[in-house]
Amino acid sequence: MAQGSVQVTHTGTARWRRRAGEYDCLASALEAAADGDVLFIAPGTYRENVVVARDVTLRGAEGAVGPVRIAPAEGIALTVRASATVIDLQIEGQDSAAPALLVEDGAPDLSDLRITTRSAVGIEVRGTGSRPTVRRCAVDNPGGVGISVLDGAGGVFEDCEVVAAGQSGVAVHGGGHPRLERCRVHHTSGAGLSLTGEGSTLDAVDCEVYEIRGAGVQVAACAAGRLTGCRVHRTSGDGVVLDTDAVLALDRCDIHDVPENGVDLRSRSVLTLTRSTVRRFGRNGLSVWDPGTRAEAEDCEIRDSTGDYPAVWVSDGATASLGSCRVREVPDALFVLDRGSRVDVVDSDLSQVRNTAVSVRDGATAHLEDCRVREAATGAWFRDHGSGGTLTGCTFDATATGVIVTKGADPTVRDCTVSSPVEAGFYVSAGGRGTFDDCRVTDSAGYGFHVIDGCRTTLARCRTERCARGGYQFAEDGPVSEGCTSDESAALLAGVSRAVPGTVPGAAATVPAVRPAAPRVAVPAQRSSEEPGPVGAGSEPVRGSTTVLGELDALVGLESVKREVRALTDMIEVGRRRQEAGLKAASVRRHLVFTGSPGTGKTTVARLYGEILASLGVLERGHLVEVSRVDLVGEHIGSTAIRTQEAFDRARGGVLFIDEAYALSPEDSGRDFGREAIDTLVKLMEDHREAVVVIVAGYTAEMERFLTVNPGVASRFSRTITFGDYAPEELLRIVEQQAEEHEYRIGEGAAEALLTYFTAIPKGPAFGNGRTARQTFEAMVERHAGRVAQLRDPSTDDLTLLYPEDLPELP
């Protein structure tokens, strides 16, 4: 065959037809060919607009060297309108308004084609009669779309590649419905796969979409798709986007290395995600927006966030459900907000979460069942009024705090367990509510249940074990507790954890019901220290300073603390009398720093200090509002100042007690918002210096660092009171007080054994001072019970005397 010639081999049955012919152009050869004929095309460049309207075969000449190029100067290079076969050709187009290869009708078989062009479209399939099978074809079209299927067309694309596209790699619209198998789409300037319009569908199996300048997969305007075993990665935008009634199913897909959202859907779109992975994403792994939008994930994994955003974001009335999923190594796991938004999570794992595993706010709801949360700063946080939901059968392990409820949120928590929290198992503050049934806290480094600010929380049949600061810490005027137990003897009355006369401590000690007390009324200024405050209807009197100071003096140890508080009280009292005599009173800065180890009575002294100031008329109410970092520091710009202001307002007329205040300024703070809380607090203390007394507390060394964070901090706190560790003799006295209160006696040799025990006990970070003494007494009572229970007819001495053998082993 001559270069640039076409040989037609006829396969017709008519005897009169020539068996073969050779033509100098494709147009002539096609005109002479009939259905079933084969056109062998010699290597060369054919500057023709080729139209195939018969069921013929076009292919390169057998044994020929060099490509067959169809490259007209303008228009469509190759148009197929029949069930033809086209093999091993190179198609080149130059028309920005036309496709390089157009399939308009029939079911042609297109194999091993190379479309290298700058056309509007590389391969375009259109019309309801078009159903091509395209195999091993490559499209390189920096001028436009790689492959376009529209106007009701279908077709199957196998092992094809869109090498580069100036717009979308594969575009489906106008009711197109192709199937892609083992295809690769990469280095496009638009979406990798784009589906638009009602009736438009795409089925992609084992395909790969990568190096995309835009979204990897985009489905919009009532289009629908299904991706099975596909990979989407290295995009400049979102991995997958659904918008406006789009529907997409992803099965066994892997979406990774995207700088924005892994999957983003909104405007009533629906996503079904099964056995898939979303990883290394810059914003949300899965974000769901708008009423009617719904995402369902089953047996999926979302992990390895590279940004500072929640892994799963549900807002504006959208819903999402996760079943048997795993979310790990992310800043926040689930964030659901806005009224009408809802997330349902069943049998899923949330782990290695830098901030909050489940965050619910602005009236949203979250329902978790049989889920496991591990290694998170906060397990679940119900943040504000109208926010709620349920936690059922969930476990929280190695969190700073298991569950937080604040600002009027009202979840129901059933049969949940918090293990090894750093701060508290369950923490309720700032008007939070919540119902906790059959819940358990073990091995807390802080409290088991910590309820402050008079929160109307209900606890039933809850249990705490081995909680370092105490099983239950309740504020007055707040929670209701029924049928709760602890392995410590402390019960809760009037905001402090203390033993109740008549209860027998031990492994199954019961926490008595605690019901709200009536609030106190405001106390007028310039009251004598000897007078109690007035009693109003349904209120309690504020005690006189002499009575409160007497309670302070009754505390074991703390001699230097008592002297400091008395000195302050004396200065305030003398100042009051000088004012009454018409003299100037010395200015006394009342804000304090409490430093020392846990269990040394800092919170108790802060509460008594507030009462003293109220009895002297310095403060209006003298109540204590206890907060920590979690109550003050927000997760978004501006929210920290709002929270700090709200906490300050709750303390107006009393004492704002900030425990572990140094946590507001961690040494590796980076982008932490804690410093904003400090700055806001300093300004509020200056602007409202007479309204609130602020006490910051924590370990000595850490508090020294805290005082250097802001130049105004040290100047606001003029006095530091150090709470020293209890001496062995003082710890013995606490045990003796506990024994007396619970009608036990220290038997012969037990006092000496206790002194030896308290001298030898390690004084490391886990040492709880007074709490350690109480826990030691409780352990003695438990061992005593085990010993006496073996006696057939124990005497009164047997039932009351504690001996050296009742002491626990040293930790």
Side-chain angles (χ1 to χ4, degrees):
M1 292 177 61
Q3 178 80 10
S5 65
V6 183
Q7 177 179 301
V8 179
T9 298
H10 301 283
T11 60
T13 57
R15 293 180 178 274
W16 55 269
R17 291 188 62 189
R18 293 171 53 197
R19 298 303 303 165
E22 189 168 319
Y23 304 87
D24 58 1
C25 69
L26 281 165
S28 299
L30 286 165
E31 186 176 354
D35 290 346
D37 286 352
V38 179
L39 284 69
F40 293 98
I41 309 172
T45 300
Y46 297 82
R47 303 289 183 183
E48 304 176 54
N49 300 103
V50 178
V51 178
V52 180
R54 296 187 177 93
D55 296 345
V56 298
T57 298
L58 278 70
R59 62 181 308 157
E62 295 178 351
V65 178
V68 175
R69 299 172 60 229
I70 301 176
E74 60 183 8
I76 302 171
L78 175 62
T79 302
V80 181
R81 296 173 180 158
S83 298
T85 300
V86 182
I87 304 172
D88 195 22
L89 304 182
Q90 185 166 317
I91 313 298
E92 300 178 13
Q94 302 296 326
D95 196 328
S96 61
L101 190 159
L102 173 63
V103 179
E104 284 190 308
D105 200 4
D109 192 332
L110 312 177
S111 303
D112 301 302
L113 304 182
R114 295 169 301 284
I115 294 90
T116 306
T117 182
R118 298 192 68 87
S119 303
V121 182
I123 300 175
E124 182 173 297
V125 183
R126 68 184 180 200
T128 56
S130 299
R131 302 177 308 282
T133 299
V134 185
R135 299 185 178 92
R136 300 179 300 281
C137 293
V139 178
D140 184 343
N141 181 24
V145 176
I147 298 172
S148 179
V149 182
L150 66 156
D151 296 344
V156 177
F157 295 78
E158 300 176 356
D159 302 298
C160 293
E161 181 177 21
V162 176
V163 179
Q167 299 176 37
S168 298
V170 176
V172 181
H173 52 99
H177 50 92
R179 176 182 174 86
L180 276 58
E181 298 180 5
R182 302 176 303 282
C183 293
R184 292 192 300 155
V185 180
H186 57 94
H187 292 88
T188 69
S189 296
L193 307 179
S194 176
L195 290 75
T196 308
E198 188 171 1
S200 300
T201 63
L202 172 68
D203 193 359
V205 179
D206 297 332
C207 295
E208 185 175 14
V209 179
Y210 62 101
E211 296 293 353
I212 306 298
R213 285 196 288 178
V217 178
Q218 184 170 326
V219 188
C222 302
R226 180 177 183 84
L227 276 62
T228 305
C230 295
R231 293 179 60 200
V232 179
H233 58 109
R234 301 204 302 274
T235 65
S236 68
D238 297 328
V240 177
V241 176
L242 283 73
D243 198 0
T244 315
D245 300 293
V247 178
L248 181 65
L250 301 175
D251 182 28
R252 292 184 291 107
C253 292
D254 187 5
I255 301 164
H256 63 94
D257 294 291
V258 294
E260 298 294 326
N261 300 302
V263 183
D264 181 84
L265 58 154
R266 56 190 70 204
S267 299
R268 302 174 305 281
S269 296
V270 177
L271 170 73
T272 303
L273 194 67
T274 57
R275 297 174 292 177
S276 296
T277 299
V278 182
R279 55 193 172 97
R280 295 199 295 273
F281 44 88
R283 291 184 69 86
N284 309 124
L286 172 63
S287 61
V288 192
W289 303 71
D290 303 325
T293 305
R294 185 174 75 256
E296 298 178 1
E298 185 72 27
D299 193 19
C300 295
E301 187 168 52
I302 302 174
R303 59 181 172 87
D304 300 334
S305 169
T306 61
D308 296 321
Y309 301 89
V312 178
W313 174 282
V314 182
S315 68
D316 297 319
T319 61
S321 64
L322 282 70
S324 302
C325 292
R326 297 160 299 285
V327 183
R328 61 185 176 90
E329 298 178 66
V330 295
D332 299 88
L334 311 178
F335 204 105
V336 53
L337 67 160
D338 302 323
R339 188 169 302 279
S341 299
R342 172 175 174 145
V343 64
D344 293 271
V345 189
V346 178
D347 188 28
S348 295
D349 292 278
L350 315 176
S351 63
Q352 295 172 272
V353 181
R354 295 192 291 275
N355 299 313
T356 304
V358 181
S359 187
V360 187
R361 61 178 298 175
D362 297 337
T365 59
H367 301 272
L368 276 70
E369 182 177 353
D370 296 329
C371 293
R372 297 157 294 279
V373 178
R374 182 171 51 84
E375 296 178 47
T378 303
W381 190 346
F382 297 87
R383 293 173 175 269
D384 45 28
H385 184 74
S387 302
T390 58
L391 302 177
T392 305
C394 298
T395 60
F396 302 85
D397 184 43
T399 62
T401 305
V403 178
I404 298 175
V405 182
T406 55
K407 299 182 182 177
D410 193 12
T412 298
V413 185
R414 301 188 186 95
D415 194 26
C416 291
T417 299
V418 181
S419 303
S420 305
V422 175
E423 297 176 0
F426 297 91
Y427 181 76
V428 186
S429 70
R433 298 178 70 87
T435 300
F436 300 88
D437 296 339
D438 301 294
C439 294
R440 183 168 177 249
V441 182
T442 63
D443 299 298
S444 173
Y447 296 110
F449 290 81
H450 193 179
V451 183
I452 66 175
D453 294 341
C455 295
R456 305 292 181 176
T457 301
T458 301
L459 290 81
R461 301 173 305 281
C462 294
R463 170 77 177 165
T464 67
E465 299 173 4
R466 301 180 299 280
C467 295
R469 299 187 67 182
Y472 300 83
Q473 175 76 356
F474 290 173
E476 58 189 26
D477 304 344
V480 175
S481 166
E482 297 180 352
C484 296
T485 60
S486 174
D487 64 351
E488 64 170 2
S489 63
L492 311 169
L493 291 174
V496 293
S497 205
R498 60 185 179 221
V500 177
T503 62
V504 178
T510 300
V511 178
V514 178
R515 299 196 176 275
R520 292 173 175 163
V521 297
V523 180
Q526 305 302 323
R527 185 165 55 254
S528 167
S529 63
E530 302 300 324
E531 295 177 344
V535 180
S539 67
E540 296 178 356
V542 175
R543 299 181 295 173
S545 63
T546 301
T547 303
V548 183
L549 284 169
E551 184 175 330
L552 176 66
D553 288 336
L555 297 176
V556 174
L558 304 178
E559 298 307 322
S560 64
V561 174
K562 296 170 184 175
R563 287 195 299 271
E564 293 276 5
V565 174
R566 277 198 171 275
L568 275 171
T569 303
D570 290 344
M571 289 185 66
I572 293 169
E573 174 67 10
V574 170
R576 182 181 67 81
R577 293 180 180 180
R578 284 177 61 85
Q579 284 182 325
E580 290 176 349
L583 301 172
K584 290 184 178 180
S587 175
V588 180
R589 292 190 180 274
R590 298 164 302 189
H591 307 303
L592 303 176
V593 179
F594 285 179
T595 67
S597 301
T600 49
K602 295 187 289 294
T603 305
T604 299
V605 173
R607 183 175 288 106
L608 295 174
Y609 182 58
E611 285 197 67
I612 292 168
L613 296 183
S615 70
L616 296 175
V618 175
L619 290 177
E620 184 179 13
R621 295 175 56 196
H623 65 294
L624 183 80
V625 173
E626 182 180 355
V627 297
S628 59
R629 172 187 166 86
V630 71
D631 300 292
L632 304 179
V633 179
E635 296 175 348
H636 308 286
I637 294 174
S639 62
T640 294
I642 295 172
R643 289 189 190 178
T644 304
Q645 175 74 64
E646 290 174 346
F648 196 88
D649 289 342
R650 294 199 308 277
R652 194 174 295 274
V655 175
L656 178 64
F657 182 79
I658 306 174
D659 197 12
E660 297 179 348
Y662 51 81
L664 295 174
S665 179
E667 292 185 278
D668 55 348
S669 57
R671 296 174 59 187
D672 189 82
F673 292 123
R675 290 177 182 266
E676 183 183 353
I678 296 171
D679 296 342
T680 304
L681 189 63
V682 167
K683 185 176 188 306
L684 290 170
M685 291 169 66
E686 178 62 28
D687 293 346
H688 307 279
R689 66 185 73 177
E690 302 300 326
V692 175
V693 166
V694 178
I695 299 176
V696 292
Y699 289 104
T700 302
E702 286 83 347
M703 290 305 296
E704 289 175 356
R705 178 180 58 80
F706 169 75
L707 293 174
T708 66
V709 170
N710 181 305
V713 171
S715 65
R716 298 296 185 275
F717 297 95
S718 60
R719 187 182 296 262
T720 297
I721 299 178
T722 300
F723 288 66
D725 289 338
Y726 285 110
E729 294 78 11
E730 293 169 333
L731 296 172
L732 170 60
R733 179 60 188 142
I734 293 173
V735 172
E736 290 173 340
Q737 284 183 346
Q738 291 280 298
E740 182 180 354
E741 186 174 356
H742 292 90
E743 297 183 351
Y744 283 85
R745 291 180 293 151
I746 302 301
E748 183 177 355
E752 293 78 6
L754 279 164
L755 280 175
T756 301
Y757 179 86
F758 287 133
T759 300
I761 196 169
K763 305 299 192 296
F767 179 61
N769 283 286
R771 183 169 59 254
T772 296
R774 290 189 296 273
Q775 290 170 342
T776 300
F777 169 69
E778 293 155 12
M780 292 181 72
V781 169
E782 183 175 350
R783 292 167 70 95
H784 166 271
R787 177 170 55 80
V788 174
Q790 308 305 315
L791 303 177
R792 181 180 299 276
D793 188 18
S795 65
T796 301
D797 284 349
D798 291 330
L799 292 170
T800 58
L801 285 171
L802 300 174
Y803 289 106
E805 57 263 34
D806 296 322
L807 269 168
E809 299 294 330
L810 282 169

